Amino acid sequence: MYWPWKQNPWFETVLEAQRRAKRRLPPSVYAALVAGSERGKTPADNTDAFAELEFAPHVAGHQPERDLSTTVLGIPISLPVLISPTGVQAVHPDGEVAVARAAAARGTIMGLSSFASKPVEEVVEANPNTFFQMYWTGSKESMIQRMDRAREAGAKALIATLDWSFSVGRDWASPSIPDKMDLKAMVQFAPEGIIRPKWLMEWAKHGIPDLSVPNLQPPGGEAPTFFGAYGEWMQTPPPSWEDVAWLRKEWGGPFLLKGITRVDDAKRAVDIGANAISVSNHGGNNLDTTPATIRCLGPVADAVGDQLEVLLDGGVRRGGDVAKALALGARAVMIGRAYLWGLAANGQTGVENVLDLMRMGLDSAVLGLGHSSIGELGRADLWIPQGFERTLGAPKPAPRPRRAPARTSAGITAP
């Protein structure tokens, strides 16, 4: 029987997933998904910059079949969209396990945060093609222990995230988040739960989230809370390039360095033996007014794209965005907020929905541009406005020598 007032579980756009997530989640939980640092310019530019790039489609000669598959760090995937690691996914009780299953069902890679709410063993079981992500936090001994655990669980690669500086001025939509869901916190957030009864009932069936991070649990100890782990990060001296090289060596397997926006940093990543980099500004949660990652992608890919794999993370909301990133030199993209909205809207099925939308939008772009595979995408498929790209950290060209001034018959010097 058809009930016209019942909402179709399928959503047609990522924006609709965001609307449903906003309606379903408590206000503070939703705010945590969209928050940025300081004035919030970078997350806005991450998305808006894609619209400044324009396609140059063909009117005929389109290809009836199109190949959207690729490989990332040797792993074949059905579409060039990976799951970017994000912290405690309290938008749904199944959290990262649901996301991992969705990624496996759609033939792509799961990125698991060390700040995740589910242990790496459960996530790898749900998706064998899981990359484990780490921050530079704690002692080297504790970092080795975390890498050993991820390796033993079956993680295929390590993502070292260095684009998270924890700006102090988090005044743009950033909510208050409790350290743990004790009685005091439950009383404080009870009004939000009351106005979102479906979300509250779903969690009631599975138990209240404890906001701990099990992948940072020391041997024989207890898992720290999110903010306990945050405190450890703040007290850890930031890494040098020598430290990053040490991390690369200790891991020993495929290594992706996330957080690159500068050409000189990309070249240093090559020097320390990174197999891949992600052009990323942590979704705008790092240093505000950093340029959109799509603006930085081309110069970075041009500089090092023949020496390692280049990915992009930041602002991807549709398949057309994926096509533009690939045209500027990315092998694949990583998505964060987009799949979290899908998870909030409809669990595992919602994440699959988001990945399907990415696939359909990408396929449409490849079709319209007259290609038979994503490997054929290039700059000729785009109109790139003057001044769009940002070349950070590259030597500036030497100034052109000025001609000696000439004297005219009227005695006036001209350049």
Side-chain angles (χ1 to χ4, degrees):
M1 180 177 293
Y2 172 66
W3 302 97
W5 56 85
K6 283 194 173 182
Q7 183 171 254
N8 186 342
W10 170 268
F11 40 83
E12 301 287 344
T13 65
V14 172
L15 182 59
E16 176 58 23
Q18 181 181 0
R19 292 192 190 102
R20 295 188 188 188
K22 186 175 184 178
R23 287 197 298 265
R24 181 178 174 275
L25 296 174
S28 62
V29 176
Y30 174 76
L33 296 185
V34 298
S37 64
E38 298 178 340
R39 58 173 55 84
K41 182 182 183 299
T42 293
D45 194 33
N46 272 351
T47 56
D48 294 346
F50 279 101
E52 296 180 30
L53 296 170
E54 298 177 0
F55 286 124
H58 291 282
V59 70
H62 300 123
Q63 304 301 310
E65 296 182 2
R66 294 157 304 280
D67 183 7
L68 307 183
S69 65
T70 189
T71 62
V72 172
L73 294 179
I75 296 177
I77 51 178
S78 68
L79 78 164
V81 180
L82 284 65
I83 298 297
S84 188
T86 60
V88 181
Q89 295 177 7
V91 300
H92 190 278
D94 292 335
E96 295 84 0
V97 171
V99 177
R101 289 173 179 157
R106 294 301 182 263
T108 193
I109 292 165
M110 170 71 184
L112 178 68
S113 172
S114 56
F115 280 62
S117 62
K118 302 293 183 182
V120 61
E121 293 81 5
E122 291 184 20
V123 174
V124 173
E125 183 179 1
N127 187 338
N129 289 326
T130 292
F131 292 177
F132 184 69
Q133 175 267 342
M134 279 183 52
Y135 295 102
W136 185 264
T137 176
S139 66
K140 286 188 174 180
E141 290 73 18
S142 64
M143 284 185 259
I144 289 174
Q145 180 270 321
R146 293 161 190 166
M147 286 188 281
D148 287 344
R149 178 180 172 184
R151 190 184 298 110
E152 291 171 7
K156 296 288 180 63
L158 188 75
I159 302 174
T161 298
L162 300 181
D163 62 344
W164 196 21
S165 66
F166 277 101
S167 172
V168 174
R170 308 186 65 76
D171 59 340
W172 188 76
S174 190
S176 172
I177 301 174
D179 184 44
K180 56 184 178 179
M181 288 303 293
D182 54 15
L183 180 60
K184 179 181 178 181
M186 286 189 282
V187 171
Q188 178 184 351
F189 287 93
E192 291 195 31
I194 292 172
I195 63 174
R196 297 292 188 267
K198 290 183 178 180
W199 182 86
L200 186 62
M201 290 300 295
E202 193 168 35
W203 274 104
K205 295 176 184 177
H206 293 81
I208 301 299
D210 61 7
L211 302 182
S212 66
V213 286
N215 293 309
L216 298 182
Q217 180 175 351
E222 294 185 356
T225 64
F226 179 89
F227 283 103
Y230 171 90
E232 180 188 67
W233 177 88
M234 292 191 71
Q235 295 172 44
T236 304
S240 64
W241 278 106
E242 289 73 21
D243 290 326
V244 182
W246 171 86
L247 193 68
R248 165 74 182 91
K249 182 179 179 181
E250 288 296 327
W251 172 251
F255 184 86
L256 189 160
L257 183 59
K258 182 173 178 287
I260 300 290
T261 57
R262 297 170 54 106
V263 171
D264 52 357
D265 281 351
K267 291 180 178 180
R268 293 296 296 269
V270 172
D271 293 341
I272 61 115
N275 306 106
I277 58 173
S278 181
V279 178
S280 171
N281 53 36
H282 214 87
N285 279 299
N286 185 15
L287 187 63
D288 193 36
T289 70
T290 300
T293 51
I294 191 65
R295 300 188 190 279
C296 303
L297 172 63
V300 168
D302 291 344
V304 300
D306 60 342
Q307 300 172 78
L308 44 63
E309 297 178 13
V310 178
L311 283 70
L312 174 124
D313 186 328
V316 176
R317 299 291 183 269
R318 50 192 58 82
D321 298 341
V322 180
K324 291 173 182 178
L326 269 56
L328 289 178
R331 176 177 287 263
V333 305
M334 305 177 79
I335 59 171
R337 289 183 176 96
Y339 79 77
L340 288 173
W341 292 328
L343 179 65
N346 199 20
Q348 176 182 337
T349 302
V351 179
E352 293 172 3
N353 193 158
V354 167
L355 291 171
D356 289 341
L357 291 171
M358 294 288 175
R359 182 189 300 277
M360 290 187 294
L362 175 60
D363 185 62
S364 178
V366 175
L367 170 64
L369 295 167
H371 298 312
S372 60
S373 76
I374 58 174
E376 298 172 1
L377 291 166
R379 285 178 174 263
D381 295 310
L382 302 175
W383 183 82
I384 305 171
Q386 185 176 4
F388 174 82
E389 293 184 311
R390 303 289 189 269
T391 304
L392 308 180
K396 293 183 178 180
R400 294 175 60 187
R402 297 187 63 183
R403 291 187 301 166
R407 186 167 297 275
T408 68
S409 57
I412 302 173
T413 55

